[in-house]
Amino acid sequence: MGNASSSQQTAQSETSTYFTQEEISKLKSDFETGGVEKVKSLLKKKVKELDNTELNIAVTGDTGAGKSSLINAMRGLCSEDEGAAAVGTTETTMEPTGYSHPTLPNVRYWDLPGIGTTQFTAGSYLKEMEFKKYDFFIIVAAGRFTENDAKLAKEIKRLGKEFYFVRSKIDADLDSMRKERKTFDEGAEMGKIRSDCVSRLGKAGIPDPTVFLISSFEPDRYDFPRLMEALGDGLPSIKESVFILALPNINVQIIRKKREVLVKRIWMLAIMSGGVGAIPVPGLSAACDMGILIGAIIDFRKGLCLDDVALRILAERTGKSVEDLKAAAQSFLLGEITAPIIVRMGLGAVAVTVSVVGTALYLIPGIGSVFGAGSSFLMTYSILTKALQLLVECAEKVLAVAKGAE
């Protein structure tokens, strides 16, 4: 009884992540008056909303601060990759320059000229840079943060947006110190740099600022992973899920956070894909919407950086071929997804159906118990749950190969 209660609480929490209380009430009402078919329309609208949610990230700082390198690192690109932000060029434009995510075009990163390179005040700067369209700001400095940086941060805060201070090129600074000194303590030196940044920002009027020390060329080290976590935590739930899926797979923790995001979509897709009638496995293709199932698995691959574009970018960086990376993953799910593959997944899903019943029965608070163990809903739910788990394992294997190559 305790396990069922725990599953219900978890599922209800996941439901409220994407739905307002008003939408949850409408789900219940629609089901009571029109059954599953009426519920499907709201779910289709919500899935479309998730797919079309835009995220705009503004990165600002003076010329040479490392804005372009940070934008590339957040997109999983190197400076030589197609579509990468140009690195090391002289800043000549006063206009924001946008860069789309390689596989998620609704996510855009904006390179804004540093306020020190313009004639604008902090207030007029934000107006000229179209402040309202950005979800948050990253203020980058390669050395000391300036009074202009602090003024900009205060103006951003006044207007109700989040901002983050990033001290870039920490790897170069530490390497120089390491070469100059007989004894060197990396942690202690990072602490000194961080304290200096915090102190100077404090004197400029920013109380208790958090400063992230990063290297855009080593995104799995220093404060880069902590920065990515902080950026996601500062967003509303739907945009946070979009941001997490847009992250490069720099460590296992990010892959597992992506799994948490994707698993929350499975129950919606399952209701959209099937009805509630009992079905035999041979009738799987008729009872479940193959288009939704195939599309979901393709979207899972994209979110987990297992699509061909992401694998090609990774292959170029590691010196391996896409075929090598796919071979390391050892999964039929990285090839073409067809109806026979879905049926094959369905045959395997029968064995795991019982294990997901406890969760699936409570996915929609108040109405979820209608879905029985023999429903096409549960079959679809099982298939997608199994597919996601296999793809997460693939992503972890590919990450291990990439780290080994690097």
Side-chain angles (χ1 to χ4, degrees), residues 314-329:
L314 182 61
E316 290 173 355
R317 191 169 78 235
T318 58
K320 292 185 172 291
S321 67
V322 172
E323 289 70 25
D324 288 339
L325 295 175
K326 287 186 176 181

Side-chain angles (χ1 to χ4, degrees), residues 79-352:
S79 59
E80 295 180 352
D81 290 329
E82 182 180 350
V87 174
T89 58
T90 301
E91 190 160 43
T92 58
T93 179
M94 292 295 104
E95 299 293 327
T97 304
Y99 299 93
S100 294
H101 186 276
T103 58
L104 302 173
N106 288 340
V107 180
R108 290 180 69 79
Y109 306 80
W110 295 87
D111 184 345
L112 274 55
I115 190 170
T117 63
T118 72
Q119 301 301 312
F120 304 124
T121 64
S124 62
Y125 172 89
L126 288 175
K127 183 178 179 180
E128 291 292 331
M129 298 301 134
E130 301 178 58
F131 161 83
K132 290 184 178 180
K133 77 177 179 184
Y134 306 115
D135 291 285
F136 58 81
F137 290 75
I138 301 174
I139 303 172
V140 186
R144 296 173 177 173
F145 289 98
T146 66
E147 186 177 347
N148 278 333
D149 294 326
K151 286 180 179 178
L152 179 59
K154 285 188 281 189
E155 190 67 16
I156 293 169
K157 183 176 182 179
R158 186 181 71 80
L159 294 170
K161 297 277 186 171
E162 294 289 339
F163 61 88
Y164 302 86
F165 289 110
V166 168
R167 169 68 158 77
S168 64
K169 305 183 182 181
I170 192 67
D171 53 334
D173 292 331
L174 294 174
D175 283 344
S176 296
M177 294 177 189
R178 190 178 287 109
K179 292 173 183 176
E180 292 173 355
R181 302 174 187 178
K182 292 181 179 179
T183 59
F184 176 76
D185 184 330
E186 180 174 288
E189 295 303 331
M190 285 184 66
K192 291 177 184 177
I193 294 171
R194 194 190 314 277
S195 294
D196 181 64
C197 291
V198 169
S199 174
R200 291 179 181 278
L201 286 168
K203 290 176 182 177
I206 306 295
D208 303 317
T210 300
V211 177
F212 298 90
L213 311 182
I214 73 159
S215 164
S216 295
F217 302 111
E218 298 183 79
D220 57 341
R221 295 190 63 195
Y222 311 117
D223 289 343
F224 197 100
R226 195 167 65 90
L227 170 64
M228 297 301 105
E229 183 176 354
L231 297 179
D233 288 345
L235 291 166
S237 58
I238 290 181
K239 292 206 172 192
E240 179 186 5
S241 71
V242 172
F243 178 75
I244 290 171
L245 294 178
L247 291 174
N249 291 351
I250 59 177
N251 55 39
V252 171
Q253 287 73 28
I254 285 179
I255 292 173
R256 293 178 182 174
K257 282 181 76 72
K258 290 183 175 186
R259 179 190 177 279
E260 291 173 10
V261 168
L262 293 170
V263 79
K264 293 174 184 178
R265 300 190 183 191
I266 288 177
W267 69 269
M268 291 188 283
L269 295 168
I271 293 174
M272 289 164 55
S273 174
V276 293
I279 58 166
V281 170
L284 175 65
S285 61
C288 302
D289 187 321
M290 281 291 170
I292 289 177
L293 288 169
I294 291 171
I297 293 173
I298 291 172
D299 285 344
F300 290 172
R301 291 196 311 203
K302 189 181 296 185
L304 290 164
C305 299
L306 293 172
D307 59 294
D308 286 343
V309 173
L311 290 174
R312 175 181 55 76
I313 291 170
L314 182 61
E316 290 173 355
R317 191 169 78 235
T318 58
K320 292 185 172 291
S321 67
V322 172
E323 289 70 25
D324 288 339
L325 295 175
K326 287 186 176 181
Q330 297 179 327
S331 176
F332 61 91
L333 289 177
L334 296 193
E336 183 182 2
I337 305 299
T338 61
I341 285 178
I342 297 294
V343 172
R344 175 181 169 186
M345 292 286 298
L347 291 168
V350 173
V352 300

